[in-house]
Structure formats: structure tokens, C-alpha cells
Amino acid sequence: KGTGTTVTFKPDRTIFQETNVFSYDILAKRMRELAFLNSGLTITLTDKRGDKEKTNTFHFKGGIKSFVEYLNTNKESLHKIVYFEKQKDDLGIEIALQYNGGYAENVFTFANNINTIEGGTHLSGFRSALTRAINNHAKAKNIVKEKDEVSITGDDTREGLTAVISIKIPNPQFEGQTKTKLGNSEVEGLVASATLEALNTFFE
């Protein structure tokens, strides 16, 4: 509204050696992802190449809940989306999950909006808490009998699971240059305790 910043750049041919043609679909996928991760943010992507201008606007009030809904499109959802957010020390934790009728696990993890495709400590903390919460509830309600010595495994709890885990952390430590795996050791326990608390409340 009168002021702002414009950033313009040209691809460096010493880096973009094979091609300097940008893929609209790859950019649209990333812009959609960022709009999901930042509830209320509006991102407009316009392609002015060629004769016909192409524009997409991404805006999701539901944030990562909308992300899970989008991921479960055309799948049989088994319940309403479970969503929670917690602030633990300097760590912001936001998680949404929903089971569907399929068998595959579909979990996306992010640290400061960076897609940590190899997971890391936020993912391991979430997984351990999910398995523990389901086992605790199953035993408390006699769904699983203690005398039978049967327990629900991590693989069981992840079957048909769609989830998005997004954390905001002041000093992220990534394993490797590609930033695909989070390594902060303190994150695991904080995410696990937040997840366990939220799921226990949900089950009750």
C-alpha cells in the first residue's frame, strides 16, 4: 500500500549450467507449501513468459490443518484432523495429523519452513510419543490386555497416517549441507512431551 521491496535477480549461468528455465510446477508446489506452513499468508505466483500469463494465489486460513486435508484428498479419512500447537522454551511446535483407510505413512516435517525430507529429531520425538500415547490409551481402556503381553508397535501406529510437523527454532542444526535432516538433540524430548500431552488429552 504505497511502500514495499522488490527483489530482482537473474540466474547465474555458472550455477545453472544445465538449464536456467524455471519450472512453474516446482515453484507452485513450494509456494503452496509455504502458504500452508504460514497460516493467513497470501502468496501470488505469476508466470509472464509466453503469450498467456499464468497466475496462482495460495492462501490457507487453516494452515497445516489445510495441508493435511490437501494430502488426504481422495482418501478415506477416518476421523477429524487432530491439531495442536505448543510453545516450549524457545521452540514453537505445530502438528496436525489424520489417519486414512490406506496403508502408507505420509509424514512431512519442517524446521523454520525448510522441508526436512530426511526427518530428524522432531520426527523421532513425534513418532515415539505417538506410539506411547496409543499404547497407554489401549491399555487404560482394556483394548489391549496387559496379561496378553501384546503391544502396538511403531509400524502399527504409522499405518495410514498423514501428518505435518512444523517447528520454529532459533538455532537449527542440520546434518549436511542440504539441510534435509534436523540434528538438535533437545528438540526430540520437547516434541515428544508436547505430542504425548496433546494426544492424551485428545484420547480422553
Side-chain angles (χ1 to χ4, degrees):
K1 305 251 177 161
T3 63
T5 304
T6 300
V7 178
T8 306
F9 78 98
K10 288 182 179 179
D12 185 338
R13 288 190 177 275
T14 62
I15 295 168
F16 292 84
Q17 289 175 359
E18 289 179 21
T19 179
N20 64 348
V21 179
F22 289 90
S23 163
Y24 186 86
D25 292 339
I26 289 171
L27 289 171
K29 183 184 175 188
R30 179 59 179 153
M31 296 303 119
R32 183 185 295 111
E33 204 173 74
L34 284 168
F36 278 133
L37 291 167
N38 300 279
S39 171
L41 178 69
T42 301
I43 300 175
T44 303
L45 176 65
T46 305
D47 188 349
K48 295 182 178 180
R49 297 173 298 186
D51 301 329
K52 208 171 180 184
E53 193 172 285
K54 194 198 272 187
T55 298
N56 261 316
T57 298
F58 305 104
H59 176 91
F60 304 101
K61 266 188 180 175
I64 64 168
K65 284 185 283 185
S66 300
F67 200 169
V68 169
E69 200 176 310
Y70 173 78
L71 293 169
N72 272 344
T73 305
N74 301 324
K75 291 176 185 169
E76 178 204 358
S77 300
L78 302 181
H79 58 88
K80 285 184 179 177
I81 293 168
V82 179
Y83 169 82
F84 59 94
E85 58 179 321
K86 298 272 180 189
Q87 189 70 35
K88 293 260 186 179
D89 301 327
D90 289 336
L91 180 70
I93 302 163
E94 197 181 1
I95 296 175
L97 65 103
Q98 185 182 49
Y99 284 93
N100 61 60
Y103 296 100
E105 175 191 3
N106 197 17
V107 177
F108 288 83
T109 62
F110 299 87
N112 297 354
N113 289 337
I114 295 166
N115 190 345
T116 46
I117 55 173
E118 289 184 66
T121 50
H122 50 343
L123 177 60
S124 52
F126 168 76
R127 281 178 166 173
S128 64
L130 177 69
T131 306
R132 192 171 157 200
I134 289 174
N135 267 301
N136 288 350
H137 184 72
K139 283 170 183 170
K141 299 294 178 187
N142 278 325
I143 299 164
V144 171
K145 305 282 190 290
E146 294 243 17
K147 62 181 176 65
D148 296 335
E149 294 183 1
V150 173
S151 65
I152 300 162
T153 68
D155 287 340
D156 296 328
T157 63
R158 296 194 298 272
E159 195 171 283
L161 172 68
T162 298
V164 175
I165 301 159
S166 176
I167 68 159
K168 300 289 194 299
I169 184 168
N171 298 301
Q173 294 161 10
F174 297 100
E175 293 180 21
Q177 288 295 313
T178 53
K179 296 187 178 181
T180 51
K181 190 172 185 181
L182 187 72
N184 296 66
S185 56
E186 74 279 9
V187 168
E188 187 166 4
L190 291 169
V191 170
S193 64
T195 302
L196 192 61
E197 185 186 330
L199 289 178
N200 284 343
T201 303
F202 172 75
F203 288 138
E204 284 304 316

